[in-house]
Amino acid sequence: MNFALTPEQEELKTTTRRFLSQRLPTNMVRKTMETDAPIAVDVWRAMAVELGIAGLMVPESAGGLGLGFVEAACILHEVGRAVAPLPFLVTSVLGVELLTQGDQKEPAIATTLEGIANGTVVLGLMGGSVEDPLLPCGTWTPSGASAESRFALDGTQATHLLVTLTSETGPVLVLLPTNTPGVRITHETTLDLTRPMAHVELTTAKATIVLNVPELRRAHESFGSFASASIAQDMVGGAERVLEMSVSYAKDRHQFGRPIGGFQAVKHRLADMLVDVESAKSTALYAAFTMDDHTDDRAIAASTAKSVCGDAFFRVAAASIQVHGGIGFTWEHDAHLYFKRAKADQILFGNGPLHRRRLAGLLGIV
């Protein structure tokens, strides 16, 4: 297995970084996240039309690029680096992964995949818990879907929802447009305003089954690993940017006639941050390659990445505030954006202790 990115993958990262720095700098991130519409939908559609990024993993038959997880990991890294309020994680990665396991000839699924590719569809993932969004949160009957969840990732501006419900024979995954009668969505204010959530209520809303009972059970086995490997890339991107900000500040900020980066305590802090970032990069990249290559240890790699990257990002974000001193504690400084993103990402899809317990089971320790 080759763990180096190809020139094309490096170019994909470079192009995305340049696009986000021009279209969604942190001042625009702030304006977006403080509104009732906290996803930069206009930027998202531009990414779809100009770069084709929205349909990165969508099959070519549905108008997408048909690329793999490593390419998606490159984008996730850059989105995390920019703390961008974009639906790439839920719509273009997790949503596409679930939809493509269903019958792609089903009109509702085919139309949704095409909409993702052209940027007109934003998916909301409505689940039973933050740790496991595929836990059932309601019921499915022939008359429609009925459910309630305060955990609906990207639900506020979603055009479609993916929801796991309990049927008479077991759990099923359904897809429904948010303009369907019987759907009520309310924006939730959360710790990380760059990753919006919503409170969703369904009352006998008409929906399409994407995965039936046996299909969902099979998908559920791998989805946790897929989601963990995905969010790990977001965390690495954020941690990398936080380190760069801290090093730059330590060079520019002077006290007692010298840069604060020249003081031993600050040097040690920055060195610890670098070790955290580099170790997180390695584990996240390995997990990304296992997703594409379907190796036997993909579950181990994904849980390792989620645990290591989650804790590393939070430590780096916290240390960055210390390096920046008083300015780092203010609302006006970007350090708090990354600190809150780090804490939210650390919890999303399972925190460090949960994944370490999972690893113990996978490795036969317990």
Side-chain angles (χ1 to χ4, degrees):
M1 187 184 292
N2 184 357
F3 297 113
L5 296 178
T6 65
E8 293 79 12
Q9 290 164 345
E10 292 286 3
E11 180 61 27
L12 181 62
K13 289 185 66 175
T14 301
T15 302
T16 305
R17 183 176 301 183
R18 183 168 56 245
F19 179 92
L20 290 175
S21 67
Q22 294 171 352
R23 300 292 186 90
L24 206 57
T26 50
N27 65 313
M28 292 303 298
V29 169
R30 290 173 179 276
K31 289 180 180 178
T32 302
M33 73 183 195
E34 292 171 359
T35 67
D36 292 332
I39 292 177
V41 174
D42 55 339
V43 177
W44 173 243
R45 288 177 180 161
M47 287 180 76
V49 173
E50 297 176 26
L51 304 181
I53 283 176
L56 194 77
M57 296 181 67
V58 173
E60 293 182 70
S61 58
L65 299 180
L67 298 177
F69 184 82
V70 175
E71 286 78 16
C74 294
I75 307 302
L76 288 164
H77 180 104
E78 296 306 319
V79 170
R81 179 185 170 87
V83 286
L86 294 171
F88 184 77
L89 171 67
V90 175
T91 298
S92 299
V93 181
L94 304 183
V96 170
E97 170 69 5
L98 292 170
L99 288 171
T100 52
Q101 293 186 53
D103 181 6
Q104 295 180 44
K105 294 181 181 180
E106 162 63 44
I109 296 176
T111 302
T112 303
L113 287 171
E114 291 170 4
I116 291 172
N118 62 37
T120 58
V121 165
V122 173
L123 287 177
L125 185 59
M126 179 179 168
S129 80
V130 141
E131 294 178 349
D132 188 350
L134 293 190
L135 283 179
C137 58
T139 58
W140 168 260
T141 63
S143 60
S146 296
E148 180 174 1
S149 175
R150 303 190 78 85
F151 171 63
L153 272 172
D154 293 350
T156 305
Q157 289 161 268
T159 59
H160 294 70
L161 293 172
L162 282 170
V163 192
T164 303
L165 303 169
T166 300
S167 69
E168 291 182 356
T169 55
V172 295
L173 181 73
V174 304
L175 170 72
L176 71 157
T178 54
N179 60 4
T180 301
V183 179
R184 181 182 178 188
I185 298 176
T186 308
H187 175 61
E188 288 279 339
T189 300
T190 56
L191 173 67
D192 178 15
L193 299 179
T194 67
R195 195 180 295 288
M197 293 191 188
H199 177 201
V200 179
E201 295 179 75
L202 306 179
T203 308
T204 58
K206 298 298 181 182
T208 300
I209 292 182
V210 176
L211 299 175
N212 58 32
V213 177
E215 291 171 338
L216 180 57
R217 284 175 178 160
R218 285 194 297 270
H220 205 167
E221 292 176 4
S222 61
F223 182 81
S225 298
F226 196 85
S228 295
S230 299
I231 200 71
Q233 289 293 333
D234 183 277
M235 294 188 287
V236 168
E240 180 184 77
R241 178 61 187 141
V242 166
L243 176 60
E244 290 176 6
M245 289 165 50
S246 301
V247 171
S248 177
Y249 184 80
K251 290 178 179 179
D252 295 339
R253 179 74 167 95
H254 284 65
Q255 280 189 343
F256 308 109
R258 59 188 291 196
I260 64 171
F263 295 108
Q264 197 78 0
V266 177
K267 287 181 180 179
H268 287 173
R269 183 64 60 89
L270 293 172
D272 288 341
M273 293 167 69
L274 176 62
V275 171
D276 267 334
V277 170
E278 291 303 316
S279 61
K281 277 185 183 179
S282 299
T283 56
L285 189 59
Y286 178 74
F289 277 102
T290 64
M291 293 300 117
D292 266 350
D293 292 347
H294 300 282
T295 60
D296 294 338
D297 64 342
R298 65 198 306 238
I300 293 173
S303 281
T304 301
K306 182 61 173 69
S307 174
V308 170
C309 297
D311 292 350
F313 187 16
F314 185 72
R315 284 194 299 266
V316 169
S320 173
I321 293 175
Q322 296 296 324
V323 171
H324 282 87
I327 189 65
F329 285 86
T330 66
W331 180 253
E332 290 75 17
H333 198 274
D334 291 343
H336 81 89
L337 295 178
Y338 289 90
F339 182 77
K340 292 177 180 178
R341 179 86 160 221
K343 191 59 186 176
D345 281 359
Q346 192 180 39
I347 297 169
L348 191 62
F349 308 130
N351 59 17
L354 181 145
H355 280 279
R356 286 190 282 274
R357 288 195 299 271
R358 183 173 295 167
L359 279 170
L362 289 169
L363 296 171
I365 297 173
V366 294

